[in-house]
Amino acid sequence: MPPLNAQIIAPDDALSPAPAAPPLAAEYLRHRAWLTSVLTLRYGREDAADIAQDTYLRVHSYVPSAPIRRPKSLLMRIALNLASNRYRKAAWERAADPQDPCLDRRTTEGDQDAAAIFAEMLLALPSKLRDVFVQAHVEGKSYEEIARTCGISLGAVEKRMRQAIARCDAFIGS
């Protein structure tokens, strides 16, 4: 045990200042309450807390190349982008409810006209888009099954479906 009048010498690393937080992380910590309150108004308490946390994870190691003039605006933009990505992904992953009346396949009187328009729309699609579209929407195959059947990647199936839907939308709109 050292004597009472002895000085305790701290190790060298204890004397050096702690590394400063990156500027955007420091701004996040300064504006966290404001950011969370704005996100709470928009998305609810639980989602706001998650989005704010995701925002911190995004900015905690970011070191900008130039000074940040409007840190609150930048933090809000990052948070809104993360929220948009979050809700887009959730909508993509949400399974369709089999009880949904939109999925009901019973026939109605106007079905013959609709079938003729649908057939005309399908014939207007290029063959590679039509194959993917028919397998997904007529045969009910998953994108993975379509990729295996056509011998293409899952990304190519998604791209062709986007193109087919865009052309169908344009056809219906005209």
Side-chain angles (χ1 to χ4, degrees), residues 12 37 43 45 58 61 63 65 90-91 130-131 144 149 169:
D12 290 339
S37 67
Y43 300 108
R45 183 180 304 246
R58 180 65 56 97
S61 61
V63 179
S65 58
R130 184 181 330 118
D131 292 342
E144 290 84 11
T149 303
D169 183 46

Side-chain angles (χ1 to χ4, degrees), residues 152-167:
I152 57 177
S153 69
L154 185 60
V157 172
E158 292 171 352
K159 180 179 178 183
R160 289 180 184 183
M161 279 301 298
R162 281 192 305 272
Q163 291 173 343
I165 290 171
R167 287 183 181 223

Side-chain angles (χ1 to χ4, degrees), residues 21-31 56 59-62 64 68 75:
L24 199 51
E27 292 295 334
Y28 171 86
L29 294 173
R30 183 177 314 148
H31 300 297
Y56 179 74
V59 304
H60 82 283
S61 61
Y62 176 73
I68 301 170
L75 289 169

Side-chain angles (χ1 to χ4, degrees), residues 3-161:
L4 292 175
N5 63 353
Q7 290 183 353
I8 298 176
I9 299 175
D12 290 339
D13 60 348
L15 296 176
S16 62
L24 199 51
E27 292 295 334
Y28 171 86
L29 294 173
R30 183 177 314 148
H31 300 297
R32 177 178 46 205
W34 167 82
L35 180 67
T36 305
S37 67
V38 172
L39 292 172
T40 300
L41 292 173
R42 195 167 198 165
Y43 300 108
R45 183 180 304 246
E46 186 176 313
D47 287 342
D50 290 343
I51 295 166
Q53 179 65 30
D54 290 344
T55 303
Y56 179 74
L57 293 175
R58 180 65 56 97
V59 304
H60 82 283
S61 61
Y62 176 73
V63 179
S65 58
I68 301 170
R69 291 185 303 177
R70 295 183 191 93
K72 286 173 72 172
S73 297
L74 180 58
L75 289 169
M76 183 54 73
R77 174 50 40 210
I78 291 169
L80 293 176
N81 288 346
L82 289 169
S84 176
N85 292 345
R86 176 188 188 98
Y87 286 106
R88 187 179 309 117
K89 184 177 179 183
W92 178 261
E93 292 173 348
R94 190 175 317 131
D97 179 16
Q99 302 301 323
D100 189 352
C102 293
L103 300 177
D104 192 8
R105 298 207 181 258
R106 285 180 273 178
T107 61
T108 61
E109 292 178 16
D111 278 350
Q112 285 185 341
D113 293 336
I117 293 170
F118 184 73
E120 186 179 342
M121 181 180 67
L122 286 179
L123 292 174
L125 291 174
S127 63
K128 67 180 186 178
L129 300 182
R130 184 181 330 118
D131 292 342
V132 172
F133 187 84
V134 168
Q135 288 183 44
H137 291 288
V138 176
E139 298 172 11
K141 291 183 179 179
S142 69
Y143 283 13
E144 290 84 11
E145 292 172 324
I146 297 169
R148 282 194 303 271
T149 303
C150 295
I152 57 177
S153 69
L154 185 60
V157 172
E158 292 171 352
K159 180 179 178 183
R160 289 180 184 183
M161 279 301 298

